[in-house]
Amino acid sequence: MAQSDVFIIAEAGVNHNGDMDLARRLIDVAAEAGADAVKFQTFTSASLMSDAAPMAEYQKAGAEADSAVEMIRALELGHDQFAELARHCEQRGILFLSTAFDIDSARFLHGLGMRRFKIPSGEITNAPLIRRIARMADQVIVSTGMATLADVEAAVGWIEAEGVEDIVILHCVSNYPAPPEAANLRAMDTLRAAFGHTVGWSDHTLGDAVTLAAVARGATVIEKHFTLDTALPGPDHAMSLNPDELRAMVARIRDVEASLGSGRKAPTEAERETAVVARRSLFARVAIAAGQTVTEEELIALRPGDGLSPARLDDIVGRPAARDIAAGAKLGWGDLA
């Protein structure tokens, strides 16, 4: 794997709290951290949920609202605001993405020039939305939190039926936060084998340890929530990375992917230099006269490793000495007849 093969999505989500200044600062943080994309969420409360929709427990803990609808309404941004954020992303040299939670939002984002679409875990069974998004997309990223393999198969089938070939399947655990023991990263192997598409990891664990493990296991897309301050009010701040943590995660992901290498087992150039110091060569333990047959007992393996390797012992023992060899001398092929 070459460096920068992993596509890192800094998930701003709704951590802007409905504040455009905060949203622009999130873009700045993601760009400065070296993420490939920053992603928001585009929706209207009216198209997303009924008045009867409950709040999840993690949302109750961070929300300053009495109902889910009230909470969501406070986190909405308008089309003009998203257009401004897309322009700010372009200025900062980072890809603008936003998850569309309804068809009108998807059309709007497509009109902004967005061609890479994300299906969030909660919408994986929403066939009408997935089909319409697939008709607009060059690439579709599918999060699979809460899903069975059959759910994923259906969603991928809907996307493929619209002619999309570039599909990324993100393994995801929809707990907020998710404990590391629930991550089940081996499920990425299952998804890759079942569908033949590239896989990634949408991470809701705290910190970045599981993220790094996912990269080492072959994740090609990483999605991770971040915020300016984990103490801010709102549903996702507490389980998000702060700016320093995001920057560190991106750097560590680049280190991990660079460390994966080509898979060919061979010494590096630096190791070749180390081998001279760390490996051994054959030396004469005692003086060996010219014409005398060399025996194993007359030899000793000592550092450095720039002479005849003890791995060649069987090729040396039993051959006559071509000349006198002093005790302590390092053997060379010229010493043997």
Side-chain angles (χ1 to χ4, degrees):
M1 178 181 287
Q3 192 168 7
S4 297
D5 280 347
V6 175
F7 188 81
I8 302 173
I9 301 172
E11 173 64 61
V14 293
N15 280 346
H16 50 72
N17 286 7
D19 183 327
M20 282 294 288
D21 287 338
L22 196 56
R24 282 187 290 267
R25 288 168 62 196
L26 286 166
I27 292 169
D28 294 340
V29 165
E32 290 161 9
D36 296 293
V38 57
K39 188 172 74 65
F40 295 91
Q41 296 176 8
T42 305
F43 56 84
T44 63
S45 57
S47 65
L48 184 61
M49 63 179 58
S50 71
D51 291 340
M55 279 195 285
E57 289 303 314
Y58 81 94
Q59 292 174 329
K60 293 177 184 177
E64 292 187 333
D66 296 326
S67 70
V69 170
E70 182 183 341
M71 176 188 70
I72 288 297
R73 191 174 293 125
L75 299 173
E76 288 183 37
L77 294 178
H79 286 186
D80 289 347
Q81 292 171 305
F82 278 115
E84 182 181 338
L85 295 179
R87 287 192 295 270
H88 191 64
C89 284
E90 186 175 4
Q91 292 166 359
R92 292 308 312 263
I94 189 169
L95 184 66
F96 167 83
L97 294 177
S98 191
T99 298
F101 283 83
D102 57 79
I103 293 169
D104 286 343
S105 293
R107 288 196 188 108
F108 161 70
L109 292 168
H110 184 264
L112 283 183
M114 205 177 83
R115 299 295 182 267
R116 189 189 305 247
F117 281 82
K118 162 79 184 299
I119 306 298
S121 293
E123 304 299 331
I124 197 168
T125 59
N126 190 342
L129 178 62
I130 291 174
R131 287 179 175 132
R132 295 296 287 275
I133 284 176
R135 291 169 197 166
M136 305 180 217
D138 293 335
Q139 181 188 72
V140 179
I141 303 170
V142 186
S143 264
T144 61
M146 304 170 285
T148 65
L149 202 60
D151 291 332
V152 181
E153 182 178 17
V156 169
W158 297 328
I159 297 165
E160 289 176 335
E162 300 299 335
V164 179
E165 297 180 357
D166 190 354
I167 301 172
V168 180
I169 304 173
L170 300 187
H171 176 46
C172 177
V173 178
S174 296
N175 291 1
Y176 305 90
E181 60 269 22
N184 188 25
L185 292 180
R186 290 190 177 96
M188 291 195 305
D189 305 339
T190 301
L191 292 167
R192 187 187 297 109
F195 304 109
H197 294 295
T198 55
V199 299
W201 169 239
S202 179
D203 190 12
H204 296 134
T205 65
L206 298 177
D208 64 7
V210 179
T211 299
L212 301 181
V215 172
R217 201 165 186 89
T220 59
V221 173
I222 290 293
E223 179 182 71
K224 185 77 171 178
H225 283 265
F226 77 106
T227 181
L228 297 183
D229 185 346
T230 57
L232 285 170
D236 295 334
H237 293 284
M239 45 77 66
S240 300
L241 299 178
N242 66 36
D244 288 341
E245 291 168 334
L246 178 66
R247 189 178 304 109
M249 184 197 76
V250 172
R252 285 194 282 259
I253 286 175
R254 298 308 180 207
D255 285 343
V256 170
E257 63 177 332
S259 76
L260 295 177
S262 68
R264 185 172 67 89
K265 179 57 183 169
T268 65
E269 285 304 313
E271 283 184 303
R272 294 182 195 280
E273 296 177 10
T274 303
V276 173
V277 176
R279 289 189 173 180
R280 301 186 186 219
S281 301
L282 290 172
F283 286 73
R285 186 193 300 271
V286 296
I288 303 172
Q292 181 179 330
T293 298
V294 177
T295 67
E296 183 173 348
E297 291 71 26
E298 293 170 331
L299 303 177
I300 185 171
L302 299 171
R303 293 178 177 179
D306 57 353
L308 297 184
S309 169
R312 304 299 301 273
L313 183 69
D314 291 344
D315 298 324
I316 294 167
V317 170
R319 292 176 62 170
R323 52 178 172 248
D324 289 341
I325 305 171
K330 182 167 57 180
L331 263 66
W333 289 116
D335 295 319
L336 304 169

